[in-house]
């Protein structure tokens, strides 16, 4: 599922392909529109204009067309394509045909993501009750948000209304690198450790985004390339284990992640 680093990679992809290129035709499936936004509204905003800049907030990507912003959320499997003919027509749910003959496509094999339109990105973020972006939240605010939260630390990291951008895979990576067990209760983690967790969160997300969220480019000391039951832990002589945390498959090394349990 696309998380913050993936969404940064999608923004880079959009900027290196479709940015500033006039849109000749817009086709969007009603099925991927949300919140009463119509096919006509999206086509009206996009056609004749170009995507001029991008913004991201957590797992959301915004692309400005004239005075409005297209909103993209990628669900479980969403991504973009750019080609002379749509690469995956069956799963292309929004297609921006550019004047240069290329198609910039929003492709989502499982329709769990959506496309939307807004006049104001900040208002949209507030309306959706999204927390601060995980790469922009300050250490003090991160500690404060966590300290006011009950329950397990992995769930807290993944709560988009608290901090936006971290999902299942990167939550595991962050907790692995911080040496914290994913089932630890937030209230049992001291302030200094929460500060460390903030630093690790931002370092992991930034490094992953810098590597285009491509796991084959990640350091071998990371957990992500070893997300398999019984895999050798990249940091110790132990093994990676798969457990469930709030119904989500979670990978953990019980030796490295012993800080609190
Ligand atoms: Zn280990």
């Amino acid at each position: 599922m696309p998380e913050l680093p993936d969404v940064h990679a999608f923004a880079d992809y959009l900027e290196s392909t479709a940015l500033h290129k006039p849109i000749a035709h817009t086709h969007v499936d009603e099925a991927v529109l949300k919140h009463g936004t119509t096919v006509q509204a999206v086509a009206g905003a996009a056609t004749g204009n170009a995507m001029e800049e991008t913004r991201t907030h957590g797992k959301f990507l915004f692309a400005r067309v004239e005075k409005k912003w297209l909103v993209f959320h990628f669900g479980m499997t969403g991504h973009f394509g750019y080609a002379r003919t749509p690469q995956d027509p069956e799963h292309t749910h929004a297609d921006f045909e550019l004047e240069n003959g290329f198609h910039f496509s929003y492709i989502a094999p499982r329709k769990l993501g959506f496309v939307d339109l807004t006049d104001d990105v900040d208002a949209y973020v507030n309306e959706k009750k999204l927390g601060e972006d995980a790469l922009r939240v300050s250490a003090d605010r991160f500690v404060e948000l966590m300290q006011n939260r009950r329950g397990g630390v992995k769930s807290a990291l993944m709560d988009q209304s608290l901090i936006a951008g971290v999902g299942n895979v990167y939550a595991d990576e962050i907790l692995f690198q911080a040496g914290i067990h994913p089932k630890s209760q937030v209230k049992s983690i001291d302030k200094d450790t929460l500060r460390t967790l903030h630093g690790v969160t931002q370092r992991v997300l930034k490094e992953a985004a810098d590597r285009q969220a491509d796991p084959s480019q990640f350091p071998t000391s990371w957990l992500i390339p070893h997300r398999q039951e019984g895999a050798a832990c990249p940091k110790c002589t132990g093994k990676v284990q798969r457990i469930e945390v709030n119904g989500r498959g979670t990978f953990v090394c019980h030796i490295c992640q012993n800080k609190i349990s």
Side-chain angles (χ1 to χ4, degrees), residues 28-43 70-71 93-94 106 113-117:
V28 58
D29 277 353
E30 201 159 7
V32 294
L33 294 176
K34 283 262 160 127
H35 319 113
T37 297
T38 62
V39 169
Q40 292 76 7
V42 175
L70 295 164
V71 182
H93 299 298
Y106 167 84
F114 58 87
V115 175
D116 205 351
L117 194 64

Side-chain angles (χ1 to χ4, degrees), residues 240-260:
V240 174
Q241 286 186 292
R242 185 186 186 283
I243 59 170
E244 296 249 327
V245 178
N246 286 347
R248 301 299 301 268
T250 297
F251 291 87
V252 59
C253 171
H254 290 285
I255 299 171
C256 292
Q257 292 170 260
N258 63 355
K259 251 184 200 165
I260 306 123

Side-chain angles (χ1 to χ4, degrees), residues 83-106:
R84 280 205 175 272
T85 49
Q87 295 158 315
D88 185 356
E90 191 193 339
H91 300 122
T92 294
H93 299 298
D95 179 45
F96 302 91
E97 194 183 335
L98 307 176
E99 280 180 7
N100 68 4
F102 278 75
H103 293 257
F104 184 78
S105 310
Y106 167 84

Side-chain angles (χ1 to χ4, degrees), residues 194-212:
L194 286 176
R195 282 193 164 269
T196 303
L197 183 59
H198 169 264
V200 173
T201 298
Q202 296 202 333
R203 182 172 50 72
V204 165
L205 295 176
K206 174 137 193 353
E207 275 192 51
D210 287 348
R211 292 161 202 250
Q212 299 296 303

